Amino acid sequence: MKVVALRCITCGSSYSPEELDYTCPRCGPRRGTLEVLYDYSKIRRGFTRESLKKRSQNYTIWRYLPILPVEEEGQRYIQPLRVGWTPLYRFEQLARKYGVRELYLKDDGVNPTASYKDRASALVVIKAQEKNKKIITCASTGNAASSLAGFAANTALTTIIFVPKSAPAAKLAQLLIYGAKVLAVEGSYDQAYDLCLEAAERYGWYNRSAAINPYLVEGKKTGALEIAEQLDWEVPDLVLVPVGDGSVISGIYKGFHDLLELGFIAGIPKIIGVQAEGASPIKRAFERYDGNEVIIEDQEAKTLADSIAVGKPRDIVKAVKYVSAAKGSFISVSDQEILRAIGELARRTGIFAEPAAAAAYAGFRALAEQGRLSKSDRVVIMITGSGLKDIAAAREAAEVKEPYTIGASLDEVERALKGLGLAP
Ligand SMILES: *Cc1c(COP(=O)(O)O)cnc(C)c1O
Ligand SMILES: [Zn+2]
């Protein structure tokens, strides 16, 4: 067995992976989230930078199979959909504009269902089948659910989804077309989450909801593994990550942590969490954290960035402890700054990001404005979801809201060109 134990992030108790599916019974579902532990010295023997180089046929998350929690028997459940090894684009003009040495954007909008969540769903549909589950469920602001539905499509699993009724239309359309059973809850994501948890317990469904399922962070760590390999094992100085429940950022830390344990890299980058001003309980907990207990104070979430509209974050303990271990920090951005970031990203890089993903870029701009970046910094920004997921927000973000409507004649073209200031 590769996975030697599941360890509670709060009390440190260890459990065997056969004994437990979700959280530490002593600390409960909120504080008792589990870390997946490996036998690193054993893995180190067969898994090296050189052995990775030889996997030149496999540019997906599965090139990192030796440090993913899938045992021999589970490998037959790996889906053909191509997940991960997303592009890490370098933008030189933008780096100059903001005064940093190097600027990279990791574009996870190109995953099969167009968000970072595919990394976790690809893994968890395997766990569900290893555990002989028939039904898998998930509460989600939209992306985790549509990703689960997509990765369950080619399996015998039935997918039952809890989303807030306000989820963007594109995410709902994805769910329905993949054939998931969709329960649109009249309430917030935080309410949908609690409802899903209760239903899963009552009916014995396998639960993919954020944080309580320890394998999700293992899927979400693959973004960090890729960044390190794409930069030839010279890790960046800063990685900016948008934060809702806190699982993606925990995954980014865990990925670098595993690479450090295995001797692939020399250190862990500073990890910067970016939250929306109207939904920033993890930022507040981080600022109060003194190395002892994480103080949790929930709030009512209010932001247009639906994927991070989380007032009761489920991976708050891990996120606070991990970012602290990475000597990182948290920053918050307003909805206005997020909208501005969507537009600037699209116009200057060609990357079209959904609001939560653009929040990470807005956080980068805010750091620059506050003079918190250094000329020698090498920065990576995680773009976690595609802009096509939320067209309404994009229309709001665009400087020009409407196209120029014309009649079907060259005279009309001429009139339009004048109007657009492009008169020949
Ligand atoms: C889920 C999600 C996030 C935040 O991840 P958490 O684990 O909830 O912190 C950020 N961006 C996008 C696009 C997401 O779907
Ligand atoms: Zn515990």
Side-chain angles (χ1 to χ4, degrees), residues 192-416:
Y193 189 105
D194 287 328
L195 192 57
C196 176
L197 199 57
E198 276 182 65
E201 270 170 25
R202 170 165 314 176
Y203 304 113
W205 304 334
Y206 192 55
N207 197 338
R208 184 240 180 268
S209 296
I212 57 154
N213 189 315
Y215 300 108
L216 296 168
V217 162
E218 295 304 299
K220 290 170 184 174
K221 82 183 178 189
T222 57
L225 307 181
E226 290 172 16
I227 290 170
E229 191 178 0
Q230 286 168 320
L231 294 176
D232 211 13
W233 312 110
E234 295 286 331
V235 297
D237 299 291
L238 296 182
V239 182
L240 286 109
V241 187
V243 177
D245 272 308
S247 289
V248 170
I249 197 165
S250 298
I252 295 294
Y253 173 80
K254 181 62 160 45
F256 288 119
H257 165 273
D258 283 0
L259 291 177
L260 190 63
E261 288 282 336
L262 293 169
F264 280 57
I265 57 174
I268 292 178
K270 268 193 198 145
I271 300 173
I272 313 284
V274 185
Q275 294 216 279
E277 266 172 14
S280 51
I282 301 186
K283 174 177 182 278
R284 264 185 293 133
F286 182 83
E287 284 164 358
R288 295 165 73 173
Y289 182 60
D290 61 1
N292 296 308
E293 196 180 332
V294 175
I295 298 166
I296 300 178
E297 225 174 81
D298 298 329
Q299 69 175 106
E300 202 174 310
K302 234 179 142 221
T303 169
L304 65 76
D306 67 292
S307 296
I308 51 171
V310 181
K312 190 175 174 184
R314 312 291 166 155
D315 240 341
I316 184 166
V317 178
K318 259 188 207 166
V320 167
K321 291 193 169 182
Y322 283 179
V323 171
S324 171
K327 301 187 172 52
S329 60
F330 281 82
I331 187 168
S332 64
V333 292
S334 68
D335 280 4
Q336 218 45 46
E337 289 173 290
I338 291 172
L339 287 174
R340 218 177 303 134
I342 296 176
E344 182 172 307
L345 253 186
R347 287 192 310 275
R348 299 199 63 137
T349 71
I351 295 176
F352 183 18
E354 70 161 90
Y361 185 72
F364 168 71
R365 289 188 43 161
L367 287 181
E369 274 159 27
Q370 295 166 19
R372 291 166 66 186
L373 297 174
S374 139
K375 278 203 300 287
S376 61
D377 278 342
R378 204 177 193 206
V379 182
V380 173
I381 304 175
M382 305 304 292
I383 305 296
T384 44
S386 163
L388 292 173
K389 294 262 192 181
D390 188 349
I391 292 304
R395 286 303 278 269
E396 213 174 314
E399 275 176 10
V400 178
K401 309 271 181 224
E402 294 296 334
Y404 212 100
T405 302
I406 60 168
S409 76
L410 204 51
D411 282 351
E412 286 277 289
V413 173
E414 183 110 8
R415 180 179 67 83

Side-chain angles (χ1 to χ4, degrees), residues 8 10-13 15 24 26-27 32:
C8 174
T10 293
C11 74
S13 303
Y15 302 92
C24 171
R26 273 177 229 162
C27 301

Side-chain angles (χ1 to χ4, degrees), residues 105-146:
L105 303 185
K106 177 88 170 146
D107 185 10
D108 261 65
V110 305
N111 277 310
T113 80
S115 86
Y116 197 86
K117 299 294 194 293
D118 285 348
R119 297 174 180 277
S121 297
L123 215 128
V124 165
V125 294
I126 295 172
K127 294 319 268 185
Q129 292 172 94
E130 282 180 348
K131 293 170 189 284
N132 282 315
K133 298 287 184 173
K134 302 282 171 277
I135 296 182
I136 188 163
T137 190
C138 168
S140 166
T141 57
N143 283 339
S146 51

Side-chain angles (χ1 to χ4, degrees), residues 74-90:
Q75 291 182 28
R76 65 196 157 111
Y77 299 123
I78 292 177
Q79 288 300 310
L81 294 177
R82 191 228 59 195
V83 56
W85 199 262
T86 56
L88 185 70
Y89 297 121
R90 182 170 174 186

